[in-house]
Amino acid sequence: MTSRRELIRHLTLAGLSLPVMPSLLQSAAAPFTTTRRKVSQLRITILSTMLADAGIGEWGFAALVEVDGRRMLFDTGAHDDVVARNARELNVALDTVPDVVLSHNHGDHTIGLLPLRKELVSKRADALGTAHVGEGIFAPRLRSGNSNDLNPMNRFRPRYEETGGHFTVHAKPTELYPGVWLTGPVPRRHNERNWGSSNPQARPALVKVGTDMLEDNVPEDMSMIFDTEQGLVVLTGCGHAGVVNIIDHARESVRPANVHALIGGIHLFNASEQTLAWTEQRLKAAGVRQLIGAHCTGVEVVYRFRRTLGLDRSTCVVGAVGQVFDLAKGIEAGAIAR
């Protein structure tokens, strides 16, 4: 049987056990201090998403993070070679990137990891050698009526480790480097239901927790947070935890600052009118000043948010391969993305 602690954790992440939230947040969040060091230089280059100003597009996501002299890869795309091909076209070297962050288990964010590691390890043994993941990412995934584990992470995990790579699992907010944070799994305070298929005929996805099979709400979903003088910069893969939950968690765990920039996929392409109206009001309250809506955000959603958040074509764009967010310069977008 699943332990009470495991069930409480899963239900809490699903937004079904609100009374335990304060204690979870208290134990997970580091104490806020005004003297904590902040990020001074940050550059994020999109290497995988559907639209492409350079390279080729795909239904997936990946971005190179360059922050205060360190380089990290956030997600690895949906195909074996897309991130590598786009990096070459953009003259972006990945062999000097030791850390990779995987936002969640889905193949459109993880399939590129093993081929990238195999290609780069011959150049540098530590290239993509440390993969940071959220707790629960290796849990078996099934469809109702099918006993086969569909989690791609469990297929390539041993082969990645055979190359000398290793996984670091994060169960709570973690400051990797000064001002650079991983959220760990995000509590689902608001029932954003930012997961699952839009096809009503699709069999429900399930996740194994102990001996129980529960609805798969992608409990491991985590984002990166950069604490800057201008405010928080939030980088998401799909935002299955819900973009408002992510921002609330970041402001409670890192610093209660406004959101200077929101970048990545936030899985609103098939959201209802009610959900979009609620989300845009919460983003407005969070003070979002710049937005790159990539991957699963939805093109129409980006333009809607541009209008309702009071942004313009220089501060709110559709994400595209080759696009850059620079902390000092803002969004550097090609012509097609605006």
Side-chain angles (χ1 to χ4, degrees):
M1 290 293 293
T2 301
S3 69
R4 182 174 182 273
R5 180 179 180 183
E6 287 174 317
L7 283 174
I8 288 175
R9 179 175 179 79
H10 187 87
L11 291 173
T12 300
L13 289 172
L16 300 176
S17 184
L18 296 180
V20 302
M21 286 300 306
S23 61
L24 275 179
L25 286 173
Q26 183 177 5
S27 63
F32 165 68
T33 63
T34 56
T35 57
R36 184 180 286 156
R37 182 176 159 190
K38 295 178 177 60
V39 165
S40 60
Q41 294 180 318
L42 174 63
R43 187 173 177 87
I44 298 172
T45 304
I46 296 179
L47 297 177
S48 167
T49 190
M50 282 79 71
L51 190 64
D53 269 312
I56 57 176
E58 64 170 352
W59 179 269
F61 190 71
L64 176 67
V65 175
E66 298 172 285
V67 52
D68 289 342
R70 296 183 172 87
R71 308 179 84 232
M72 292 170 278
L73 186 65
F74 181 82
D75 284 343
T76 61
H79 292 84
D80 287 358
D81 61 343
V82 168
V83 171
R85 289 174 61 180
N86 287 343
R88 285 193 291 270
E89 181 159 339
L90 294 167
N91 293 316
V92 172
L94 296 179
D95 58 305
T96 56
V97 179
D99 294 297
V100 56
V101 176
L102 299 179
S103 62
H104 62 294
N105 79 88
H106 292 166
D108 50 337
H109 298 256
T110 61
I111 292 300
L113 175 61
L114 184 60
L116 279 169
R117 167 69 178 165
K118 286 183 174 180
E119 176 182 329
L120 298 172
V121 72
S122 61
K123 299 178 181 179
R124 284 189 57 151
D126 66 342
L128 303 188
T130 300
H132 299 272
V133 298
E135 184 180 61
I137 198 170
F138 298 113
R141 263 63 181 203
L142 298 90
R143 292 282 180 186
S144 58
N146 190 331
S147 60
N148 296 325
D149 183 6
L150 303 177
N151 188 343
M153 294 292 296
N154 293 330
R155 293 197 299 273
F156 64 71
R157 178 182 185 179
R159 289 181 288 163
Y160 173 76
E161 292 175 335
E162 285 171 3
T163 70
H166 66 277
F167 290 96
T168 300
V169 179
H170 300 272
K172 62 182 181 180
T174 303
E175 189 173 25
L176 284 182
Y177 304 108
V180 180
W181 289 79
L182 298 180
T183 62
V186 175
R188 312 296 172 89
R189 173 176 298 174
H190 307 290
N191 188 22
E192 296 182 73
R193 290 197 62 82
N194 233 352
W195 64 87
S197 172
S198 59
N199 179 5
Q201 305 301 319
R203 289 179 294 173
L206 304 173
V207 59
K208 190 172 184 180
V209 180
T211 58
D212 294 319
M213 298 305 302
L214 304 173
E215 180 184 13
D216 185 7
N217 65 355
V218 200
E220 76 276 10
D221 184 73
M222 72 175 180
S223 299
M224 292 191 77
I225 310 297
F226 306 91
D227 188 10
T228 79
E229 291 291 351
Q230 293 93 321
L232 302 180
V233 175
V234 179
L235 177 61
T236 66
C238 267
H240 287 301
V243 64
V244 177
N245 285 325
I246 292 167
I247 289 173
D248 284 356
H249 190 50
R251 297 175 77 180
E252 291 163 349
S253 303
V254 180
R255 186 166 66 95
N258 285 344
V259 176
H260 178 64
L262 173 61
I263 301 163
I266 51 178
H267 211 269
L268 292 171
F269 69 97
N270 61 352
S272 68
E273 177 66 25
Q274 181 180 10
T275 295
L276 291 175
W278 177 83
T279 303
E280 65 193 11
Q281 290 306 311
R282 296 301 297 252
L283 294 182
K284 191 171 185 178
V288 175
R289 300 189 191 105
Q290 298 185 67
L291 172 65
I292 297 178
H295 186 34
C296 54
T297 304
V299 173
E300 176 60 29
V301 172
V302 172
Y303 292 112
R304 173 179 175 142
F305 284 178
R306 176 188 288 183
R307 180 179 68 253
T308 57
L309 297 179
L311 304 177
D312 58 34
R313 64 187 302 174
S314 68
T315 55
C316 181
V317 299
V318 178
V321 174
Q323 195 171 87
V324 170
F325 168 80
D326 188 283
L327 184 61
K329 301 176 182 178
I331 297 172
E332 301 173 12
I336 197 171
R338 294 185 186 276

